């Protein structure tokens, strides 16, 4: 190796070595502020839910909603982090006037359970045309699954 290349090589290596010591701002995370709970940590009655069954029930919702933080909105809003936000406030989603005017402070498991029974009855004027889940145990299972999957 000739001397002409030695100095730039050493300088380059020194710069690369210094990169690991720099403090940069952490990457923005799309994860909710609260980590995903286990089934046992869920509030009653959702702690008795069958999350596998809840996941299979969500297949009815997948054509309009996603729970993956990397996905955008679809026909319906992305549900990632839904329990950390006020109804009608998912970023970059245009809500019906009924949902935009809904005054509940935050989505709770109980509120989602009520919503899933029959959205049109729960909030007249909503754009969501889904007929709902009639069986309480189906709603328990899907809410249990949502409580976990929307925080992953």
């Amino acid at each position: 190796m000739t001397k002409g290349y030695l100095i730039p090589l050493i300088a380059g290596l020194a710069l690369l070595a210094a990169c690991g010591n720099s403090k940069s701002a952490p990457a923005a995370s799309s994860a909710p502020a609260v980590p995903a709970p286990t089934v046992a940590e869920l509030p009653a009655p959702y702690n008795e839910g069958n999350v596998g069954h809840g996941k299979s029930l969500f297949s009815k919702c997948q054509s309009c909603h996603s729970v993956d933080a990397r996905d955008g909105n679809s026909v319906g809003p992305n549900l990632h982090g839904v329990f950390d936000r006020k109804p009608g406030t998912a970023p970059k989603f245009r809500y019906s006037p009924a949902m935009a005017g809904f005054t509940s402070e935050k989505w709770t498991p109980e509120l989602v359970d009520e919503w899933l029974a029959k959205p049109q009855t729960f909030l007249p004027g909503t754009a969501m045309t889904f007929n709902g889940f009639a069986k309480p145990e189906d709603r328990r299972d899907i809410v249990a699954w949502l409580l976990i999957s929307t925080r992953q």
Side-chain angles (χ1 to χ4, degrees):
M1 190 178 273
T2 64
K3 291 181 184 178
Y5 292 104
L6 191 55
I7 293 175
L9 177 63
I10 292 171
L13 289 173
L15 285 172
L16 285 175
C19 286
N21 295 330
S22 66
K23 294 207 176 203
S24 59
S29 172
S30 58
V34 179
T38 64
V39 176
E41 294 172 324
L42 298 178
Y46 310 106
N47 60 347
E48 296 176 7
N50 178 333
V51 293
H53 183 236
K55 181 178 182 176
S56 71
L57 291 171
F58 189 75
S59 66
K60 295 179 181 182
C61 312
Q62 282 180 267
S63 61
C64 297
H65 297 280
S66 173
V67 296
D68 190 323
R70 298 168 294 190
D71 294 342
N73 297 312
S74 184
V75 173
N78 184 303
L79 299 178
H80 189 262
V82 70
F83 294 101
D84 296 320
R85 67 179 181 241
K86 180 177 174 25
T89 63
K92 300 179 183 179
F93 187 78
R94 183 180 299 170
Y95 286 94
S96 66
M99 182 55 79
F102 189 56
T103 59
S104 185
E105 189 64 33
K106 183 172 158 177
W107 282 112
T108 64
E110 298 79 16
L111 195 61
V112 171
D113 193 322
E114 289 179 57
W115 169 265
L116 289 174
K118 190 150 181 74
Q120 292 285 338
T121 301
F122 180 82
L123 185 63
T126 183
M128 188 165 157
T129 58
F130 180 64
N131 287 332
F133 294 102
K135 296 179 183 176
E137 59 274 11
D138 285 349
R139 293 193 308 275
R140 177 203 61 203
D141 293 351
I142 196 167
V143 170
W145 183 77
L146 285 169
L147 281 163
I148 296 168
S149 65
T150 60
R151 294 189 185 281
Q152 296 177 329

